[in-house]
Amino acid sequence: MLLAYGRPAVDSDLPTRLPGAVMIFMIRSTEAVVWMSLIAVTIFSWALGVQHGSTVVGHNTASLMVIALAVLKLRFVGLYFMEIRRTPLALRASFEAYCAFLLALLSSMFLFG
């Protein structure tokens, strides 16, 4: 590798099993909770998309909910995995405004387009 010329590709060998404390820390971290929430929201939006013809919610309501959930997932990915929540206020505000604008644009395109 170019960055590790003459050295191993990783700093040290990884153990075959991670200690229990490390695994518990990884599960309880904020990013892990957000990741599991993203998986749950993805499954829920898939279920909404598959069942959009049911009598519980109509086609328009289910479609708008899927759009809103997609923008919510975008927001969580940006904040927690792209570290936008720790950036200066102007960058975070512009990202939040982008998410709100995107939600309004996609919803209005669906409803009126």
Side-chain angles (χ1 to χ4, degrees):
M1 293 185 82
L2 180 63
L3 297 177
Y5 180 74
R7 297 181 299 207
V10 294
D11 184 36
S12 61
D13 293 331
L14 296 174
T16 55
R17 286 180 37 106
L18 291 174
V22 172
M23 290 302 293
I24 290 172
F25 172 75
M26 289 173 59
I27 292 172
R28 291 185 180 169
S29 71
T30 306
E31 288 81 9
V33 172
V34 170
W35 179 69
M36 287 184 255
S37 300
L38 287 170
I39 291 172
V41 169
T42 300
I43 293 170
F44 180 68
S45 63
W46 173 79
L48 272 176
V50 170
Q51 300 295 328
H52 72 273
S54 69
T55 58
V56 177
V57 293
H59 170 69
N60 287 342
T61 305
S63 298
L64 288 174
M65 288 176 69
V66 168
I67 290 171
L69 290 173
V71 173
L72 179 72
K73 287 172 24 178
L74 166 74
R75 184 177 176 271
F76 280 146
V77 168
L79 291 177
Y80 290 94
F81 297 106
M82 297 175 68
E83 301 289 333
I84 293 178
R85 65 189 163 117
R86 295 183 182 159
T87 59
L89 184 60
L91 181 59
R92 181 169 178 173
S94 65
F95 178 72
E96 297 282 357
Y98 169 74
C99 291
F101 173 75
L102 185 64
L103 178 62
L105 178 68
L106 292 175
S107 298
S108 63
M109 284 176 64
F110 176 76
L111 290 174
F112 307 115

